[in-house]
Amino acid sequence: MLTSWFADHAWLGGDQAAADVLIEVDGERITAVTPGAQRPAGAVHLPGVTLPGLANAHSHAFHRALRGVTHRGGGSFWTWREDMYAVAAALDPDRLHALARATYAEMVLAGITCVGEFHYVHHSPSGAPYDDPTVMGEALLAAARDAGIRITLLDTCYLRGGFDTPLAGPQLRFGDGDAAAWGERAARLPSSEPGAGGPGARMGAAIHSVRAVPPDQLGAVAAWAAERDAPLHAHLSEQRAENEACLAATGLTPTALLERAGALGPRSSAVHATHLSDADVGLLATSRTTICMCPTTERDLADGIGRARALADAGAPLSLGSDSNAVVDLFEEARGVEHGERLAVQTRGHFRAAELLGAAADDGHASLGWPDAGRLRAGDLADLVTVDLGSVRLAGAQPPALLEQVVFAASAADVREVVVGGRHVVSGGHHALIDDVPGELAASIAAVRS
């Protein structure tokens, strides 16, 4: 189906938005982009600033049930983790589907057109597989279809509770025994063969962390992903305690351990990468491993401030993720990268607005195995996100600083129109597929917290 969209302003790359941009679409693909055009009769008007679809490169959908409720007692990442395990223990396929469906709908309303779901709740609470061993992953794929969002399901290998610590309690449902059994189960998911998941789903792999996968099993996960030319993601150096335990157990930093296992490279993403040595930065950058920064979660869990500018300068691409979904707002994630640098070194102006938008769009999609998304250009997937310039946050915004005003002042609430693969999923700020997103969020959260 041929469709024309006319954007008052659109980001086509570079440091400024173009004016009067006609975007022509055939089916799910952009066929032409023309700045400085006259608005044709019949074109759908997109008032405001139109961006490419945003990619949430790191999500745990079920963590959405924890928003705000873990703050009453202070604590640390490790005490927060116990609250997370309690929610994980309450999940079944239906509850996971309902919670993920509502969470993904919240993401679409925020301008996110693709999500990387880091999925490790695989089995029943006892640790025994369900009759259908991939039913939890299939619930996430169905939730993404329902919400109108593209997904890369990052099926996660999670084999132990820590260095020399077996899985126990709620962790039992995360594990497959060994990497070979994990790979056999993951290969049964419907999107594990190229193209088999349909246009809206792709399959990737994840190493939960070096503390959760023994050193002699890491290479098998990396090889599984390489055989399928699939993305490979891993939590990396989120906590100093993880680095110290890894050094004590292996004599290597987590980054060096992943490098030895063949788990770094252009298809790989290191999530957080907060506490790195100079040598770690070098290994990640020279391998062209993407660094997925999740500033709202890193602040929420008191993880620390990562070395974003040093990594980018060394050659590592950056992407962005909402991680625990304490906040679902990639504009906040984008400016959080810049603000973290400001706090760390007490100067301003480390990232241009266009760099941060690139992390949220182009590089984020590439890290999830969608190199044909994240830009407004002919041949790419027709993902469009329009930000309203009439809100109280953006009132008075005007060229030539529109990109800076969007990145450093807009919020998810300013997104008014979202097109995913040519499909108009959000119109006037309303989700076209799910009528009551707040209601579904409230009900699905209550179901797992009751």
Side-chain angles (χ1 to χ4, degrees), residues 289-303:
T289 298
T290 296
I291 310 302
C292 183
M293 310 294 288
C294 306
T296 64
T297 291
E298 290 149 9
R299 295 196 302 253
D300 185 65
L301 298 182
D303 287 343

Side-chain angles (χ1 to χ4, degrees), residues 185-282:
R185 180 192 49 74
R188 296 179 61 174
L189 279 158
S191 59
S192 61
E193 294 299 325
R202 290 184 180 168
M203 185 70 184
I207 293 165
H208 179 272
S209 57
V210 295
R211 69 178 185 272
V213 180
D216 62 354
Q217 306 277 301
L218 293 169
V221 182
W224 190 98
E227 289 167 4
R228 292 160 174 78
D229 196 27
L232 174 64
H233 289 218
H235 292 131
L236 181 71
S237 293
E238 185 177 1
Q239 295 287 317
R240 294 186 190 278
E242 175 185 313
N243 289 357
E244 294 163 1
C246 188
L247 282 166
T250 70
L252 298 172
T253 66
T255 301
L257 188 58
L258 290 180
E259 192 273 338
R260 188 179 72 179
L264 302 183
R267 288 180 298 96
S268 296
S269 290
V271 181
H272 304 303
T274 305
H275 303 287
L276 301 177
S277 68
D278 290 344
D280 293 335
V281 170

Side-chain angles (χ1 to χ4, degrees), residues 44-404:
V44 180
H45 185 209
L46 299 174
V49 178
T50 295
L51 310 171
L54 308 180
N56 183 358
H58 187 70
S59 163
H60 305 287
F62 79 90
H63 290 191
R64 176 62 179 83
L66 293 167
R67 183 178 293 179
V69 301
T70 64
H71 292 271
R72 288 169 295 178
S76 66
F77 167 85
W78 307 102
T79 56
W80 170 89
R81 193 174 67 159
E82 296 304 315
D83 292 326
M84 180 269 288
Y85 288 159
V87 173
L91 296 172
D92 61 24
D94 289 340
R95 287 175 175 172
L96 179 60
H97 172 264
L99 181 55
R101 167 187 154 105
T103 302
Y104 294 157
E106 181 183 3
M107 291 181 191
V108 177
L109 288 169
I112 295 165
T113 59
C114 185
V115 60
E117 182 63 29
F118 201 100
H119 163 55
Y120 54 82
V121 185
H122 301 306
H123 305 299
S124 69
S126 70
Y130 287 104
D131 291 340
D132 175 357
T134 63
V135 67
M136 295 293 270
E138 291 167 3
L140 292 164
L141 294 171
R145 287 194 299 271
D146 290 351
I149 195 170
R150 194 174 297 112
I151 187 171
T152 297
L153 185 64
L154 299 161
D155 197 280
T156 303
C157 187
Y158 195 137
L159 303 177
R160 63 184 181 183
F163 292 98
D164 300 320
T165 304
L167 298 177
Q171 296 174 331
L172 289 171
R173 67 186 313 185
F174 306 160
D176 290 290
D178 58 28
W182 162 81
E184 290 175 5
R185 180 192 49 74
R188 296 179 61 174
L189 279 158
S191 59
S192 61
E193 294 299 325
R202 290 184 180 168
M203 185 70 184
I207 293 165
H208 179 272
S209 57
V210 295
R211 69 178 185 272
V213 180
D216 62 354
Q217 306 277 301
L218 293 169
V221 182
W224 190 98
E227 289 167 4
R228 292 160 174 78
D229 196 27
L232 174 64
H233 289 218
H235 292 131
L236 181 71
S237 293
E238 185 177 1
Q239 295 287 317
R240 294 186 190 278
E242 175 185 313
N243 289 357
E244 294 163 1
C246 188
L247 282 166
T250 70
L252 298 172
T253 66
T255 301
L257 188 58
L258 290 180
E259 192 273 338
R260 188 179 72 179
L264 302 183
R267 288 180 298 96
S268 296
S269 290
V271 181
H272 304 303
T274 305
H275 303 287
L276 301 177
S277 68
D278 290 344
D280 293 335
V281 170
L283 287 173
L284 292 163
T286 57
S287 64
R288 296 291 295 168
T289 298
T290 296
I291 310 302
C292 183
M293 310 294 288
C294 306
T296 64
T297 291
E298 290 149 9
R299 295 196 302 253
D300 185 65
L301 298 182
D303 287 343
I305 299 170
R307 300 176 62 182
R309 188 68 262 175
L311 286 156
D313 286 344
L318 301 184
S319 66
L320 301 173
S322 65
D323 191 7
S324 68
N325 296 305
V327 176
V328 173
D329 188 336
L330 283 200
F331 302 115
E332 179 63 25
E333 303 295 349
R335 59 180 164 262
V337 173
E338 165 68 22
H339 289 164
E341 290 287 323
R342 294 182 186 185
L343 290 172
V345 302
Q346 300 175 50
T347 59
R348 304 175 77 225
H350 301 275
F351 287 91
R352 299 173 5 259
E355 287 183 276
L356 297 171
L357 285 174
D362 184 5
D363 288 330
H365 280 96
S367 77
L368 296 175
W370 300 91
D372 53 350
R375 294 169 299 269
L376 299 181
R377 70 177 187 183
D380 278 11
L381 289 164
D383 292 357
L384 316 176
V385 172
T386 301
V387 178
D388 177 23
L389 295 180
S391 74
V392 293
R393 288 164 292 280
L394 292 172
Q398 56 187 333
L402 286 177
L403 296 189
E404 289 77 11

